[in-house]
Amino acid sequence: MQTIYCIGELLIDFVAENQGSDLSKADVFTKKPGGAPANVACAVAKLGGKSKFVGCVGEDPFGTYLLDTLEKNRVNVTLAQRSKHFTTLAYVSIASNGERDFVFSRGADKKLEYDAVVKNGFKGNVVHFGSATALLGGGLNDAYDRYLVDALAQEALISFDPNFRGDLWKGEEGTFIEKCRHFVEKAHLCKFSLEEAQLLSGENDVEKACAVLHGIGSPIIAITLGKKGTLLSTPDFKRRVASVKVEPIDTTGAGDAFIGCLLYQIARLKNPHQILDDTDQLVPMVEKANWAGAITTTNYGAIPALPEYDAIF
Ligand code: ATP
């Protein structure tokens, strides 16, 4: 089993209890661990895989809570950093007009310092870049760019999920697209939502979007389509892999469960790069990953809802 390095943010989501009112009216919040790359690390570890989280939290009780949560889920956090800056916090509510009302207090996640030791573990392993906040700048962005160079030099299998958040990039979408395209160019595998595939390719039609994205670089593309399943695209074939019928109650983290489960299976290969030579193996892997995504929607929250090995295999 190879190791999956998950690089990016770990933060607290304070979710308003009285959904349907905007944040100015919300008075009770529930503290939840957040951050897509950290969710992916948990998804891998809950399936029994080896994941290491690379990111930064504050030297405060929230930072302790977040790292404890990862450790309880069997994620290796020895490469995580603590900063004197407070842990990054996001306050979220669904307002009366159905839009997400969102306040983001960015702290320690952007203080991640590049550590040359990290790259020593990359060889023969998988490196996953999940970028909701990473591309916004700060030390995390610098570290992110340098780890990409390292991952290429160490011949790691590189995975990328843009994790686009419209509220974070309002008015700056062009910068987001430019930064993401650099990762799409270098990655071996990319996971997109339909919105991300359209945004990064400039094409509304999903087939045309795939062609543009392959043209930029990534040979393996998975576009997750919620209950409509996943469009898997490689240079050899394009296939829609059906989703599993469930009664969803909370879709948070379904995409992270999906990519975590897919990477877990790739990391079980003797050499993760084998997946590039025999892409047919991807179809049953994506079927399993769809299961992981579907199961995650049947429970509340991201990390608690991620499935264990026996639920999938
Ligand atoms: P998020 O950003 O919320 O983590 P996403 O947009 O990246 O999600 P989705 O497409 O919502 O990802 O979900 C990932 C996968 O999970 C889908 O490809 C599908 O297999 C499964 N899934 C998600 N929603 C449902 C659903 N309602 N019913 C069945 N399967 C689902």
Side-chain angles (χ1 to χ4, degrees), residues 41-58:
C42 288
V44 170
K46 282 185 86 167
L47 291 171
K50 291 203 291 190
S51 61
K52 289 192 177 187
F53 176 72
V54 183
C56 185
V57 295

Side-chain angles (χ1 to χ4, degrees), residues 158-172:
I158 299 169
S159 159
F160 176 62
D161 180 347
N163 290 124
F164 178 66
R165 299 284 177 268
D167 9 30
L168 287 179
W169 287 96
K170 214 168 248 165
E172 302 281 342

Side-chain angles (χ1 to χ4, degrees), residues 36 39 161 163-165 191-196 222-231 241-259 286-298 302:
N39 290 345
D161 180 347
N163 290 124
F164 178 66
R165 299 284 177 268
K191 178 229 165 277
F192 303 113
S193 65
L194 181 59
E195 181 191 21
E196 289 163 348
I223 301 181
T224 57
L225 305 163
K227 68 177 180 209
K228 292 187 184 149
T230 302
L231 181 71
V241 183
S243 69
V244 180
K245 249 197 163 57
V246 286
E247 293 292 329
I249 54 172
D250 179 6
T251 60
T252 312
D256 303 328
F258 172 90
I259 187 70
V286 167
E287 284 169 359
K288 295 287 188 196
N290 279 355
W291 263 104
I295 289 174
T296 304
T297 69
T298 61

Side-chain angles (χ1 to χ4, degrees), residues 86-101:
F86 56 82
T87 296
T88 298
L89 310 174
Y91 297 83
V92 200
S93 175
I94 305 298
S96 44
N97 60 2
E99 295 286 315
R100 221 160 74 112
D101 202 11

Side-chain angles (χ1 to χ4, degrees), residues 134-156:
L135 300 176
L136 285 168
L140 173 58
N141 202 161
D142 297 339
Y144 216 64
D145 290 341
R146 293 178 73 180
Y147 287 134
L148 179 63
V149 173
D150 288 345
L152 282 167
Q154 299 293 321
E155 295 169 354

